[in-house]
Amino acid sequence: MTESGERGALTEAAYYILLALHTPMHGYGIMQFVRQISHDRVNLGAGTLYGAISTLLDKGWIRPLSRERDSRKKEYVITQTGRQAVIAELNRLQELIDNGKKIIGGAHSENESI
Amino acid sequence: MKTKVYKLFFDYEKEERWLNKMSALGLHCIDFTFGRYLFEEGAPGEYTYRIELLDKMPSHPESRAYIKFLEDAGIECVATHLRWVYFRQKTADGPFEIYSDYNMKIAHYKRICWLIGVFAAVNLLIGSANMIRFVNKGLPVAVSVLNLAVGLIFTYFFALYLLRIRKLKKEKRLHQ
């Protein structure tokens, strides 16, 4: 973890919430979306989601969308800073995958040749 | 038909399991006030129940915003008792957990630890102080014994939650 904490790994919840909010959504929509794209693997608890949304709002990575007509359920959308955070995370994950494939992939073929 | 059941729990997770067992039998909790549960008959297993200790009283604006957020997500607030809230969700809507991450689970256990720990300490302090005073004066010590007993019971549950925190913290070192 770096000193600023800005370049550390994102939690799975934060990462998926940021992905979800590339389209404006309310809380329940985020839960459904995340469950769907993770094929039922990630089931965000409503309390966890609420906590993550408050933190992301504080950081300015997402913002509430004010709609006059349906202001009952609050909708959120990702901000420019939020997009940058996702891109940074995507690069970090890519590095993990690349290194994993390089080493495990290599060891795997080595074992096979023996 | 409605059924009243009187029962006391010290472990909220045991209480959750009991409420879900009752729900599986077709008895859905619709109200709670200290030790008294009100059940309504319905389809077996229709609801999954979860209990949470909030940071602030349910009437506090922060808690109200939180409860509303959960309600918008299809979670029903069945009852509140002091800082405790009883939630339920239709089982058909999928698995129901309040927290899906270690940090918030640990924070929740810590809130409970504080509540129980302070209660245990106060009872133990009052119990032992009165015990000494009453024994010296030759007065009956029944109430002090009660204080001490309550204090010890709560100390046990305090330790139980501490162990749960330790287990989660260990998990957290490797997983998120």
Side-chain angles (χ1 to χ4, degrees):
Chain A
M1 191 88 62
T2 50
E3 271 177 41
S4 68
E6 294 279 314
R7 292 213 268 138
L10 291 185
T11 62
E12 207 168 64
Y15 179 68
Y16 267 150
I17 292 167
L18 289 172
L19 278 193
L21 292 181
H22 279 66
T23 317
M25 268 180 217
H26 51 73
Y28 185 58
I30 298 173
M31 284 162 81
Q32 300 278 73
F33 177 87
V34 171
R35 200 185 295 171
Q36 206 181 354
I37 57 166
S38 71
H39 306 290
D40 280 345
R41 188 183 63 82
V42 181
N43 231 312
L44 287 181
T48 293
L49 176 63
Y50 187 81
I53 286 179
S54 331
T55 314
L56 290 171
L57 283 171
D58 286 346
K59 274 195 161 281
W61 288 5
I62 62 170
R63 61 177 176 83
L65 205 65
S66 45
R67 277 194 182 160
E68 301 275 321
R69 270 178 298 151
D70 185 25
S71 56
R72 216 183 72 82
K73 284 185 188 179
K74 228 185 242 173
E75 282 194 313
Y76 305 93
V77 71
I78 194 166
T79 62
Q80 204 49 45
T81 355
R83 281 172 201 272
Q84 280 162 9
V86 179
I87 292 167
E89 178 66 2
L90 202 58
N91 290 334
R92 192 189 67 85
L93 290 171
Q94 194 58 56
E95 180 210 296
L96 294 183
I97 292 170
D98 289 346
N99 283 329
K101 278 190 175 162
K102 230 186 279 171
I103 293 174
I104 294 174
H108 185 66
S109 57
E110 242 174 65
N111 284 340
E112 271 180 345
S113 65
I114 292 170
Chain B
M1 219 189 78
K2 285 172 186 169
T3 319
K4 258 184 237 168
V5 179
Y6 294 89
K7 213 168 157 75
L8 216 56
F9 284 96
F10 293 98
D11 180 350
Y12 88 96
E13 287 179 325
K14 218 172 179 177
E15 187 179 0
E16 268 182 2
R17 283 198 290 276
W18 179 69
L19 287 176
N20 286 320
K21 224 192 274 170
M22 293 296 269
S23 170
L25 296 171
L27 288 169
H28 309 302
C29 179
I30 52 166
D31 198 21
F32 171 82
T33 28
F34 192 73
R36 191 189 67 111
Y37 298 83
L38 193 62
F39 290 95
E40 194 179 47
E41 269 181 52
E46 193 181 350
Y47 294 102
T48 308
Y49 284 83
R50 292 284 172 239
I51 304 166
E52 187 181 5
L53 177 69
L54 298 179
D55 198 25
K56 302 193 168 78
M57 290 299 276
S59 56
H60 191 277
E62 274 177 39
S63 299
R64 267 158 63 179
Y66 174 66
I67 293 169
K68 191 184 171 298
F69 180 87
L70 265 64
E71 281 173 347
D72 285 345
I75 295 161
E76 194 184 332
C77 173
V78 173
T80 61
H81 178 70
L82 302 173
R83 271 157 61 209
W84 292 97
V85 196
Y86 291 71
F87 291 113
R88 72 177 180 186
Q89 184 187 281
K90 290 242 159 124
T91 311
D93 290 350
F96 173 36
E97 292 284 352
I98 303 272
Y99 301 123
S100 53
D101 69 307
Y102 287 124
N103 285 331
M104 292 196 73
K105 266 184 207 163
I106 291 170
H108 185 229
Y109 280 151
K110 277 187 180 164
R111 279 205 290 280
I112 297 171
C113 266
W114 267 102
L115 184 75
I116 293 180
V118 168
F119 193 73
V122 166
N123 270 285
L124 287 177
L125 274 173
I126 293 176
S128 38
N130 281 344
M131 183 73 101
I132 294 163
R133 213 156 52 103
F134 288 2
V135 165
N136 285 344
K137 287 186 179 171
L139 290 165
V141 291
V143 178
S144 311
V145 171
L146 194 71
N147 272 137
L148 288 175
V150 168
L152 285 175
I153 290 170
F154 278 86
T155 305
Y156 169 79
F157 285 98
F158 175 74
L160 194 85
Y161 284 110
L162 274 190
L163 283 176
R164 287 181 189 165
I165 291 174
R166 254 183 68 178
K167 209 177 138 203
L168 286 185
K169 279 191 173 165
K170 223 173 193 174
E171 275 297 304
K172 213 187 105 184
R173 277 186 220 142
L174 288 180
H175 299 284
Q176 63 154 323

